[in-house]
Amino acid sequence: MTVEATIALPVGTTLDRFIMRQQENFGYAKGELSQLLRDIALASKIIGKEINRAGLTDITGAFGRENVQGESQQKLDVIANIRFKRALINGGEVCGILSEEEDEIIQTNNYNGKYVVAIDPLDGSSNIDVNVSIGTIFSIYRRVSPVGTPAVIDDFMQGGRKQVAAGYILYGSSTVMVYTTGQGVNCFTYESSLGEFFFSHADMTIPSTGKIYSVNDAYFDEFAAPVQTFVTEMRRTKGAMARYIGSLVGDFHRNLLKGGIYLYPPTAKTPHGKLRLLYECYPLAFVIEQAGGRGYDGTQDILDITPTHVHQRCAAYLGSTQLIDELVKQLNCEV
Ligand code: AHG
Ligand code: MN
Ligand code: MN
């Protein structure tokens, strides 16, 4: 490329600048939420770097303990949890954290922090050791407890519609951060040589329908009849394609771009669904609704679920509106 051609290309908008501009649109915003989003981005850069080098250092494999869900923790689950905690504690905007990796809510001792964060620090941990995409999912609320006091469980139990921001980082063929503050969904791609996320996909919308379905087929026989019918009908009438890597963030991101549906129905082993409501389903349901899609749990929209437990699970169907509507129709036929 010629010098003229090279310098004619703009470098682009960094995540920081984008966040700053968004903040300027709200005269009243004091910048705490902006800072918090930057803290999450910073932690994700560090984790992304560690993931990239994982095979060269001794950080693959099991950690040797189980988390509160009874699932074996991987070393990188534990590392990612520590990185996010440090970034959020040092950032100062958050009074409490709920993490998949810890039983109790975490007090940051920043009593003046106005926000709380629920986080799945590393999603898709079965894919860490095999070089397949993994992610981070986060959900942010404005606290309901008084500023100046420790965080309480109720700060996290406000329900999905009270999220002020949510999103994910996908450590894939490139690393992207996708988030919403309730005004559409934007995506930023990481430029590792510059150490910055750059604005790359503006105002993302999911196609209203699609051919992709993402489900763990091994459990098919355990799904309720309407869910089975939905999947077989999709195969029969739409020329559907199955795509499932077992990292929710990866499967979700693909379907957001291409159109499709992600399904994790109840199974014998996980009769209430496998995915966690507060740090997997709520944030992704917020993103998908903002992108024009829909998140459903089998009886209601995920964002309308009243939470009962910080680590509760839920069935999840996330995707293109027409596909979810067809699934809902099947589920209602059965009643
Ligand atoms: P996590 O690694 O945070 O525990 O999440 C794993 C989740 C999700 O990422 C994925 O879609 C699903 O578990 C895969 O479950 P199956 O292996 O049962 O299909
Ligand atoms: Mn997960
Ligand atoms: Mn996880």
Side-chain angles (χ1 to χ4, degrees), residues 77 100-101 120-125 276 280:
D77 282 327
E100 181 194 6
E101 302 304 332
D120 178 355
L122 210 55
D123 172 68
S125 26
R276 278 53 60 106
E280 291 182 319

Side-chain angles (χ1 to χ4, degrees), residues 37-288:
L37 289 165
R38 287 196 291 258
D39 294 337
I40 291 173
L42 173 64
S44 77
K45 288 181 195 175
I46 299 168
I47 292 160
K49 188 170 159 237
E50 283 169 335
I51 290 167
N52 284 161
R53 301 186 64 244
L56 301 172
T57 52
D58 186 27
I59 55 169
T60 53
F63 180 61
R65 272 199 230 142
E66 287 187 348
N67 65 16
V68 61
Q69 338 275 336
E71 295 158 348
S72 146
Q73 282 180 312
Q74 303 299 297
K75 286 184 200 162
L76 267 165
D77 282 327
V78 176
I79 292 170
N81 188 42
I82 292 170
R83 292 288 180 215
F84 274 106
K85 275 199 308 190
R86 277 196 199 145
L88 295 175
I89 290 169
N90 291 338
E93 314 301 346
V94 163
C95 62
I97 304 164
L98 168 70
S99 166
E100 181 194 6
E101 302 304 332
E102 303 203 24
D103 305 14
E104 309 289 337
I105 61 170
I106 301 154
Q107 297 293 344
T108 61
N109 297 326
N110 298 320
Y111 297 148
N112 289 326
K114 297 205 179 85
Y115 294 92
V116 295
V117 173
I119 194 157
D120 178 355
L122 210 55
D123 172 68
S125 26
S126 67
N127 283 323
I128 294 172
D129 291 355
V130 290
N131 257 348
V132 174
S133 300
I134 48 185
T136 295
I137 311 172
F138 62 90
S139 160
I140 303 174
Y141 298 87
R142 192 168 255 273
R143 71 187 300 176
V144 288
S145 56
V147 173
T149 62
V152 297
I153 300 258
D154 283 351
D155 291 326
F156 297 91
M157 303 289 273
Q158 301 180 45
R161 301 239 174 250
K162 293 284 176 163
Q163 293 174 101
V164 295
Y168 58 87
I169 295 104
L170 171 63
Y171 313 98
S173 47
S174 61
T175 295
V176 293
M177 176 164 168
V178 175
Y179 78 90
T180 182
T181 53
Q183 295 180 306
V185 179
N186 292 294
C187 174
F188 302 80
T189 302
Y190 187 57
E191 214 311 350
S192 60
S193 62
L194 297 173
E196 295 272 15
F197 281 99
F198 284 93
F199 189 27
S200 54
H201 301 62
D203 212 2
M204 296 172 87
T205 51
I206 181 169
S208 58
T209 190
K211 289 188 172 182
I212 299 172
Y213 70 100
S214 306
V215 70
N216 190 333
D217 177 68
Y219 303 125
F220 186 87
D221 294 346
E222 298 173 21
F223 299 158
V227 178
Q228 292 181 339
T229 308
F230 170 80
V231 173
T232 43
E233 280 300 294
M234 205 173 151
R235 285 176 189 150
R236 203 174 58 83
T237 62
K238 289 197 197 310
M241 305 284 287
R243 290 284 183 276
Y244 188 77
I245 62 167
S247 286
L248 171 61
V249 172
D251 285 313
F252 179 90
H253 186 69
R254 181 215 313 107
N255 295 355
L256 177 59
L257 293 171
K258 305 260 185 205
I261 181 168
Y262 176 96
L263 308 96
Y264 210 115
T267 64
K269 198 166 107 198
T270 55
H272 303 292
K274 177 184 181 190
L275 301 177
R276 278 53 60 106
L277 178 62
L278 268 69
Y279 38 83
E280 291 182 319
C281 298
Y282 273 162
L284 295 185
F286 189 18
V287 170
I288 205 111

